[in-house]
Amino acid sequence: MTDDRPIKLCRWIRPLAAYVFACSAWMPLSSYAQDAPITARTSGQSDNLIKFHPGNTAAPGLSVEVMQAVQRIDPTLKFVGQEVLRPLRRVEAELVAGKLDVFFGLVRNPERAAKYLVLSPPLYRQFTQLAVRSEDPINIKTFDEIRQLGSAGIVGVPRGSAYVDHLNGLGGLTVDDGVASVSSTLQKLIAGRVRFVFYGGAVLRKYIQEDGLEGKVRLLPARFYSEDVCVMVSRAADPQLVLRIERALERLRASGELAAIQDKYEVRGFPINRN
């Protein structure tokens, strides 16, 4: 006769583990006092007003508000350095070197997953779009349509963006990443030096508003990709940092506070076209 006790044990251990994890999302703040304090070095990102908007006390940025919420949930966690705005390339280099411990808000892709620890749940989902000059009647829906334009279809992308290598890898596209900021790339569009600007639609929309470009620039309706924007931790950081941030993020998700922050910055999901 076989002993089926191990099988029966597994049947109730897994549900119990799931129950314990779910309950931890609602853990009272007093229970976090037992955790050892951690001070994590982080950074702001220059030229992304969705995530970091210095001087705007009402809407300081989605990444800033999530960090504040995580610190409120887990008072033994402290993030330092978010007021320092760095270009994206420098943020990534300092995460790899261990000079930064964590960053709130990088698009998840295979290259980054190999370099950093990618946390869940995501901060939000980003949808990419194309911006064109308002007087341009074109209505692009696929990259093939852009390829057919040849030299009349130059795509502007901010230097250092993950989209530069991605678009170059598609082949047949002329990509211009000569300037580092979204604002400067939009100015190249207005000046006629590029035909399109490719980036996250919410970020483009924000800069069109902030830079007073309504009437000069419009977003095409096609959504090309959806990508998770996540918290990423350096592989040289304290392993406990991953567990502590994920625990707080899960609590934010379960309570609905993360969704409320997403709504505030207009980054909730909507249908897209995949090309």
Side-chain angles (χ1 to χ4, degrees):
M1 187 171 101
T2 58
D3 187 351
D4 65 351
R5 282 177 295 179
I7 297 175
K8 291 180 178 179
L9 189 63
C10 289
R11 287 175 180 170
W12 66 262
I13 283 179
R14 288 184 179 177
L16 178 61
Y19 173 77
V20 169
F21 180 79
C23 289
S24 69
W26 301 98
M27 191 181 300
L29 295 184
S30 59
S31 64
Y32 289 90
Q34 300 174 10
D35 293 326
I38 294 179
T39 298
R41 298 163 299 173
T42 188
S43 176
Q45 178 186 339
S46 56
D47 199 52
N48 193 308
L49 298 181
I50 294 290
K51 293 186 282 188
F52 298 92
H53 197 166
N56 189 335
T57 55
L62 181 144
S63 296
V64 173
E65 294 207 33
V66 172
M67 276 189 275
Q68 291 171 345
V70 168
Q71 290 179 131
R72 186 181 69 253
I73 289 171
D74 186 347
T76 58
L77 268 182
K78 182 180 180 182
F79 302 111
V80 296
Q82 54 265 47
E83 71 284 352
V84 180
L85 302 183
R86 293 175 171 87
L88 201 54
R89 281 185 175 179
R90 185 177 170 193
V91 168
E92 295 204 64
E94 296 198 2
L95 280 172
V96 170
K99 294 180 180 179
L100 293 178
D101 299 307
V102 60
F103 184 75
F104 281 67
L106 288 176
V107 169
R108 187 209 317 258
N109 59 33
E111 294 75 23
R112 286 171 174 164
K115 292 188 291 185
Y116 319 121
L117 300 170
V118 183
L119 277 55
S120 59
L123 298 180
Y124 63 97
R125 179 157 289 180
Q126 176 165 275
F127 299 86
T128 50
Q129 290 180 259
L130 289 167
V132 298
R133 291 183 297 279
S134 293
E135 69 273 14
D136 191 337
I138 200 163
N139 185 22
I140 290 294
K141 296 179 181 178
T142 69
F143 289 122
D144 282 339
E145 293 176 86
I146 298 177
R147 290 186 186 94
Q148 293 169 10
L149 294 172
S151 60
I154 300 174
V155 183
V157 187
R159 186 171 61 245
S161 162
Y163 300 126
V164 176
D165 290 341
H166 175 74
L167 292 180
N168 283 326
L170 292 177
L173 299 175
T174 303
V175 179
D176 183 330
D177 67 335
V179 293
S181 71
V182 176
S183 288
S184 296
T185 308
L186 288 172
Q187 289 302 318
K188 292 183 77 168
L189 175 69
I190 292 171
R193 294 166 61 190
V194 298
R195 182 78 178 271
F196 310 98
V197 175
F198 185 80
Y199 208 69
V203 178
L204 288 173
R205 192 176 302 110
K206 183 70 171 177
Y207 274 92
I208 290 170
Q209 294 169 352
E210 292 286 327
D211 293 351
L213 301 181
E214 294 97 335
K216 297 181 180 180
V217 177
R218 64 186 178 92
L219 289 183
L220 297 184
R223 276 74 173 178
F224 286 80
Y225 299 114
S226 66
E227 301 141 325
D228 288 338
V229 178
C230 301
V231 179
M232 299 199 186
V233 173
S234 169
R235 293 185 178 271
D238 184 340
Q240 283 295 313
L241 185 61
V242 171
L243 300 174
R244 302 269 289 277
I245 295 175
E246 283 197 325
R247 183 175 65 182
L249 288 175
E250 178 56 33
R251 182 168 172 173
L252 286 173
R253 186 204 62 77
S255 69
E257 186 173 356
L258 182 57
I261 295 173
Q262 293 168 349
D263 281 339
K264 178 176 179 177
Y265 290 91
E266 300 180 347
V267 293
R268 292 294 289 277
F270 43 78
I272 62 169
N273 294 327
R274 292 189 177 277
N275 298 271

